[in-house]
Each structure stands twice: as structure tokens, then as C-alpha cells.
Amino acid sequence: MADGSRTIEIEAEAAGAEAAREAKAEAFEQAASKLPIPSGKRTQRVRRGKGDWHEFIVDVWITNFNSVEFGIFKHSRNRAKSRQFTTDMDVFAEVIEGGQRTGLIAYREELWKKKEGMDRRLVLRLFGDKLNWRATMDLMLARSLQLTIGARGIPVSAYSINTGEQVHNIYLERSANKWPLMPENYSFFVLDNHQPILYRLRRDMIDLGGDFKLYDAAGNIVAFLDGKVFSLGGKWRCRILRDHADPRLLHVLKLFCAKEVFARDVRNHLKALWRGVRSGRIIPKIDRQEADLYMNPRRMR
């Protein structure tokens, strides 16, 4: 009987200690919730009204039968509107803002589909609705191979983005810190008056349609790229905080969505190049257009 009483006393003491710990933890949480949030530690999701976001859609077409290219002499007239619209340009997506088409996205079909090895390169171009050139995204093979070799075979793609009349290019790179089944990350920065504004694009952990979130340097979400699950070509509904809706950043995000159509093929291409270079079957060599992207800005002109 004494042993039974002692057992009851021990259980009561344990229950009391547990209750005390829970009460202490609850009091601590309540006190902590009243403290100001330190700089750089803000919550990632901030409730904002609809007017605080700039929204756009990138819609990839299923076929080439569209009003932009289909028709007699249509391609020639498009070339006449912009010298950036080369003979091998294939328009495959449109940008919609406010219910109106405001942009078109094309790629150099011959470079990507008909070339092989180091001659095969992805070049995307963003045009306005009237085919006035806005921006270009180039896959940089030499830089991508360098990063892939450093990552010991993990495909690490690097892109150079020319956003019109801006002095500085924007360089977008996939992170080599990529574990199997874990989401991939891309990073880049936009230079504003000698101040780099840093960003990171992260694929969602549960990803069905190509969903990404854009984070600033402090880890706050500033944009959502929501891929449509049931889409034959590809479709992204995007929204970005108006505080960050710089035209250059908008160009980057629109081209990034279009790039995702080719992302798997790009990774396979870089993997094959890495194997070929490693075995000696492929001798690395880049074309003049890519070589220009590495030019020394202080060279004699």
C-alpha cells in the first residue's frame, strides 16, 4: 500500500512539473510576441491589398499557328520591325498584363534545335506587342560548363540577360547546392546606382506546375510565379510587389518563366557536354556572340 501511495505521489509531482513547464513556455511566447521584430527578421508573408501587386501572365502557345507568325511574308515583316528578330526567330509565348497582350517571347530555333555540342545554345528574346525589342536571355555555355565542372557533374546553368538600354547585364545562375528531390534555387542581382539588389528564386517544395517564389536578400517573399498544372504548353500567373516592380526585374521574371519550358533539355545538354569534355570527345569552343559577353570592359577600343 505504501508503494502505491509513493507511486501516486511521484506521478502527481511529474504532472505538476509538466504543467509548470507548459505555463512557463506559454508566458514566454506571450512576452516574445509583444517584442518588436528586429530588422532582417520580418515575417515572409505580409498581408497586402490587391493594389499592392503588379500582375502578369506568361502563356506558352501549343503550336506555331498564331497571328504573329502565320501568314505569307509575316516573318519578313516581323524582321523589318526589329533587327533583333532574326531569320530563325520562333515566337512561342505571349505576356498578358491587365487583360491585354503587352509582350511576345521568342527563341532562336536553329541555334537550339538544329545545332549540336558547343554550337547548341539557348537564346530567348522578349519583344513588345508590336515586336519592339525589350530584352535578351543567353545561355552562357562556357560559364555553365565551368560551374558544372566545379559541381562535379551537377548541371549548373548560367544566363546573361540584356535588358535594353541599361549599362549593366544581369547574370542569373542556378545554385550548385542541389540535393536530389530538394527544390532548386537561382540567384541574380539588379544593379541600381552601384548598389546590387539581390534576389533568389526558389522552386516550391510541392511543385506541380513550375511554381517559384522570389525572395529578397533578407529572405522576404516579393513575388510569386504560379505555374498552371493543367496546361499543354505552359502558363504562369505572376505577381510581384509594386515596390520591387522595376522594369528590369519584370523582364527577368518573364524570361525566366519562358526559360522553364526548356529547363530540362538545358540540364541534359549541360550534362552531355560535361561528359564529352571530360572524356575528350568534345573540345570546348564558343561562338562570337557568347565571347562578346565575356569582353573586358577596360579593353582598348
Side-chain angles (χ1 to χ4, degrees):
M1 189 68 179
D3 292 340
S5 300
R6 181 57 179 166
T7 302
I8 294 173
E9 290 177 2
I10 292 173
E11 292 177 351
E13 291 176 359
E18 182 65 24
R21 282 195 297 268
E22 291 180 356
K24 185 177 181 181
E26 184 178 354
F28 179 79
E29 289 178 359
Q30 291 177 353
S33 64
K34 298 178 181 179
L35 294 175
I37 300 175
S39 176
K41 299 289 186 179
R42 293 172 291 176
T43 55
Q44 292 184 340
R45 287 184 180 271
V46 181
R47 291 187 178 273
R48 293 176 181 264
K50 186 175 181 181
D52 294 328
W53 300 90
H54 177 83
E55 300 181 1
F56 64 89
I57 295 173
V58 176
D59 192 3
V60 178
W61 297 328
I62 302 172
T63 68
N64 290 331
F65 294 98
N66 54 76
S67 60
V68 178
E69 291 189 308
F70 189 64
I72 301 175
F73 304 123
K74 195 75 171 180
H75 203 277
S76 298
R77 288 197 294 270
N78 290 341
R79 288 178 56 199
K81 294 178 182 178
S82 173
R83 60 188 180 91
Q84 294 287 343
F85 198 93
T86 55
T87 56
D88 61 345
M89 278 278 107
D90 179 26
V91 181
F92 69 97
E94 64 181 345
V95 179
I96 301 172
E97 296 174 271
Q100 301 293 324
R101 184 168 72 188
T102 60
L104 297 164
I105 303 177
Y107 78 108
R108 293 194 59 186
E109 184 177 20
E110 183 177 344
L111 262 184
W112 184 245
K113 285 191 173 182
K114 298 181 181 180
K115 299 293 184 179
E116 296 180 353
M118 293 295 296
D119 294 326
R120 187 188 184 202
R121 194 162 60 91
L122 180 64
V123 177
L124 302 174
R125 285 182 182 150
L126 174 66
F127 298 91
D129 185 41
K130 304 300 181 182
L131 282 179
N132 49 317
W133 175 74
R134 299 277 181 81
T136 298
M137 171 185 271
D138 288 81
L139 174 63
M140 304 171 69
L141 286 181
R143 173 68 174 162
S144 298
L145 272 176
Q146 170 202 330
L147 296 173
T148 300
I149 290 172
R152 292 173 292 181
I154 298 176
V156 183
S157 53
Y159 298 87
S160 173
I161 304 174
N162 181 352
T163 58
E165 300 299 326
Q166 301 297 324
V167 176
H168 303 98
N169 281 1
I170 297 172
Y171 297 96
L172 171 78
E173 295 184 354
R174 186 174 187 253
S175 174
N177 186 17
K178 172 69 173 67
W179 293 92
L181 304 179
M182 295 299 291
E184 60 182 346
N185 288 270
Y186 290 82
S187 62
F188 64 95
F189 68 87
V190 177
L191 198 59
D192 186 15
N193 194 24
H194 302 289
Q195 178 183 358
I197 304 174
L198 304 161
Y199 293 102
R200 175 172 64 95
L201 274 161
R202 181 183 184 274
R203 184 183 289 273
D204 287 357
M205 180 68 74
I206 301 176
D207 169 48
L208 298 177
D211 300 330
F212 284 84
K213 291 184 180 67
L214 179 68
Y215 298 82
D216 63 12
N220 303 304
I221 299 175
V222 298
F224 297 87
L225 310 181
D226 297 326
K228 188 175 181 181
V229 178
F230 301 106
S231 174
L232 297 178
K235 188 173 185 178
W236 285 264
R237 293 184 178 274
C238 310
R239 54 194 177 103
I240 177 173
L241 290 174
R242 291 193 182 276
D243 297 343
H244 292 262
D246 181 278
R248 294 169 295 174
L249 181 56
L250 292 176
H251 292 343
V252 171
L253 296 181
K254 291 170 184 177
L255 287 168
F256 181 84
C257 290
K259 184 272 305 176
E260 279 299 290
V261 177
F262 306 90
R264 178 174 296 179
D265 288 339
V266 167
R267 292 194 295 270
N268 292 337
H269 181 45
L270 293 177
K271 190 79 171 181
L273 287 179
W274 172 73
R275 288 171 176 166
V277 170
R278 191 179 185 188
S279 64
R281 291 184 291 103
I282 296 177
I283 299 176
K285 185 179 180 181
I286 59 176
D287 61 17
R288 182 180 60 82
Q289 284 77 17
E290 181 176 349
D292 289 344
L293 300 175
Y294 305 106
M295 294 292 285
N296 180 1
R298 300 186 182 277
R299 67 188 184 280
M300 296 295 295
R301 300 176 185 271

